[in-house]
Amino acid sequence: MRVVVADDAVLIREGLIRLLEEFGCEVVKAVSDGESLVKAIVEHRPDVSVVDVRMPPSFSDEGLRAAVEARRQVPGAPVLILSQYVEVSYADDLLADARGAVGYLLKDRVIDVDEFLAGLRRVAGGGTVFDPEVVAQLMVRRRRDDPLAQLTPREREVLSLMAEGRSNPAIGRQLVITDSAVEKHIRSIFAKLGLHTEDTDQHRRVLAVLTYLRS
């Protein structure tokens, strides 16, 4: 897996590089500012980019804005955002093009290496992975014309866990239900959201999560 790393903090950037290389990834470029990130993604077309939200010069949202610009120039370029805080507007911007291949994790949760790498692979493969706290805060500002109003409480729970990047078996363990029950709920979610059977299950899964996060 070819990766671009963007973080202005040298220790964090070097730590990510070593971690990724230790697990067989190729870090094709490491940068410390948003402009360099856009150039790196356009030039190298990595399988995924790991991007800090706050970078020079203002240390506000340069990383996120650079990721959005990179995805404009390279449509669907996979990006995993890392942040110290939940910034709902940042997540909204990342989700705006509805292409998938995006993730948003809080840095203090990236302590389980296997889970982090699984999320990275999921984003590289066109999926989504969002920190539970990000999902929770996105749900706070749900619109009145909620497109998910027809979902049952259990279906909402399943979809929330899907947004966190959980697999079907992991969802089953979390909710203490069988794999077949999880599959039944997911099929019902797809049907209620009008996600047609001609799309692959993976594509419908991404579209369902994006509908959930953007609603």
Side-chain angles (χ1 to χ4, degrees):
M1 187 161 55
R2 300 171 65 255
V3 185
V4 164
V5 173
D7 198 306
D8 69 289
V10 176
L11 290 179
I12 295 176
R13 188 171 66 245
E14 291 302 316
L16 281 169
I17 292 171
R18 291 188 180 185
L19 173 65
L20 291 166
E21 291 180 341
E22 180 180 347
F23 285 87
C25 298
E26 178 189 0
V27 178
V28 295
K29 190 72 174 180
V31 301
S32 59
D33 62 83
E35 183 178 353
S36 298
L37 170 64
V38 175
K39 290 179 179 178
I41 291 176
V42 171
E43 178 182 353
H44 294 283
R45 307 295 172 107
D47 297 311
V48 63
S49 298
V50 181
V51 181
D52 184 26
V53 167
R54 300 184 176 188
M55 290 195 290
S58 72
F59 296 95
S60 57
D61 63 350
E62 282 86 352
L64 187 282
R65 287 191 285 111
V68 171
E69 173 60 20
R71 282 169 62 89
R72 186 188 68 79
Q73 295 190 33
V74 183
V79 173
L80 176 60
I81 296 291
L82 297 181
S83 178
Q84 294 279 13
Y85 313 99
V86 177
E87 301 283 2
V88 171
S89 62
Y90 296 163
D92 279 339
D93 288 342
L94 193 63
L95 294 165
D97 66 8
R99 292 180 181 273
V102 293
Y104 189 131
L105 296 177
L106 297 184
K107 286 183 176 179
D108 62 2
R109 293 195 190 263
V110 186
I111 55 176
D112 185 323
V113 174
D114 290 338
E115 187 173 334
F116 169 65
L117 292 173
L120 197 65
R121 286 191 290 269
R122 188 174 297 111
V123 171
T128 59
V129 54
F130 279 73
D131 190 279
E133 185 62 26
V134 176
V135 174
Q137 293 206 26
L138 283 169
M139 294 306 98
V140 169
R141 48 68 164 147
R142 188 176 297 284
R143 299 190 308 256
R144 289 182 61 188
D145 56 337
D146 181 3
L148 308 178
Q150 58 188 322
L151 299 187
T152 67
R154 177 62 89 187
E155 289 166 352
R156 286 173 180 263
E157 288 180 313
V158 169
L159 190 47
S160 176
L161 293 171
M162 287 168 61
E164 294 173 19
R166 307 287 188 93
S167 65
N168 287 12
I171 293 172
R173 289 192 297 271
Q174 178 72 23
L175 300 180
V176 195
I177 57 178
T178 65
D179 288 354
S180 61
V182 174
E183 292 171 3
K184 180 179 178 181
H185 287 309
I186 292 175
R187 286 196 301 271
S188 178
I189 291 167
F190 290 163
K192 290 180 179 179
L193 295 183
L195 302 177
H196 305 298
T197 54
E198 57 263 27
D199 293 325
T200 65
D201 281 351
Q202 172 65 14
H203 185 54
R204 288 194 293 171
R205 195 180 185 97
V206 170
L207 291 175
V209 168
L210 291 175
T211 299
Y212 180 67
L213 294 173
R214 297 172 68 207
S215 63

